[in-house]
Amino acid sequence: MNLFVANWKMNMTRAQARAYAEELGSRIGDGSDGAELVLAPPFTAIEAARDPRGRWSLGAQNLSEHAAGAFTGEVSGAMIAEAGCRYVIVGHSERRTLFGEDGPLLSRKLARAREAGLVPIYCVGETPRERAAGSTAAVLARQVEALGDDPTDRPIVVAYEPVWAIGTGLAATPADSASAAADLRELLSPRRDLRVLYGGSVNPGNARQLLASGGVDGFLVGGASLEAATFAAIAGAAIA
Ligand code: PGA
């Protein structure tokens, strides 16, 4: 089933999340046939974004590399799972570039996610400079090394998010997406339950084409997920 994840980033108070959930619920009615929807709010709005009818599930945007203890300001996988999340985003490019998260750290976060029973949404993608140098495939191969110790018999979601496409309005072409998705499926071929997403300036106008020819199972959506109507329209592209 196609998977659509709304990455709200550092947006949405609890009140805004409640209003969004109400709007999304009214847009999708009895459910979104053929599409699995996930909202990834800030930690504080996870509970407010919950759907009592279970038409979408929840994800966190980050987790601690530690299980518990004296780590002021951190949030553990167990806390996230207990708050009602099924998923957790690991290795988003903003975490990599703004917060210096690298492969070894991300491996530890993946392990904590598994211990908590969370399904990781592991993000990869090349920078503009890496793309210009023609090293996209090498970058993806290096970034998936963080999954080396992750059990291959568990479900995993890998999001191809080229850094140059995130928040720029310049989405990858379906051909770019298809090429990266094929590389990722090859790199992760022992895995039986792998879904590959595309992320980076997805909107209702490009969603259908990217889904039809981009070689992916859905999207990780940032800016365009901040309006429930727009997020529902993107998911609607799959069902159409
Ligand atoms: P964008 O962000 O849709 O705003 O480009 C995607 C992401 O960062 O996951």
Side-chain angles (χ1 to χ4, degrees), residues 31-217:
S32 49
D33 297 342
E36 179 184 351
L37 304 183
V38 177
L39 302 183
F43 295 127
T44 45
I46 287 170
E47 171 63 26
R50 199 174 71 86
D51 179 23
R53 292 175 57 188
R55 290 165 296 179
W56 58 84
S57 55
L58 298 166
Q61 300 172 15
N62 183 29
L63 82 167
S64 173
E65 68 182 292
H66 303 288
F71 302 103
T72 301
E74 292 290 277
V75 176
S76 75
M79 293 167 184
I80 290 164
E82 197 231 17
C85 290
R86 170 168 165 72
Y87 295 95
V88 63
I89 299 172
V90 178
H92 188 279
S93 74
E94 287 151 18
R95 303 290 324 168
R96 292 179 191 263
T97 54
L98 303 175
F99 301 96
E101 299 195 359
D102 61 4
L105 174 85
L106 296 174
S107 292
R108 294 194 290 277
K109 291 193 171 199
L110 288 161
R112 297 298 86 73
R114 292 303 189 187
E115 285 160 14
L118 296 163
V119 177
I121 300 172
Y122 181 66
C123 300
V124 296
E126 81 284 6
T127 64
R129 185 191 292 213
E130 289 162 340
R131 176 177 169 80
S135 52
T136 298
V139 169
L140 299 183
R142 189 183 73 235
Q143 290 176 336
V144 301
E145 282 173 12
L147 289 167
D149 292 331
D150 188 66
T152 57
D153 59 345
R154 308 278 288 281
I156 182 116
V157 179
V158 175
Y160 171 58
E161 295 214 309
V163 177
W164 46 271
I166 295 176
T168 59
L170 189 79
T173 63
D176 288 332
S177 167
S179 159
D183 286 349
L184 290 168
R185 290 187 203 281
E186 170 80 30
L187 288 163
L188 297 167
S189 56
R191 290 181 175 267
R192 281 189 302 276
D193 192 347
L194 165 69
R195 282 182 291 179
V196 178
L197 306 183
Y198 167 76
S201 298
V202 174
N203 62 48
N206 60 24
R208 184 189 295 240
Q209 195 59 37
L210 276 165
L211 200 65
S213 326
V216 290
D217 305 302

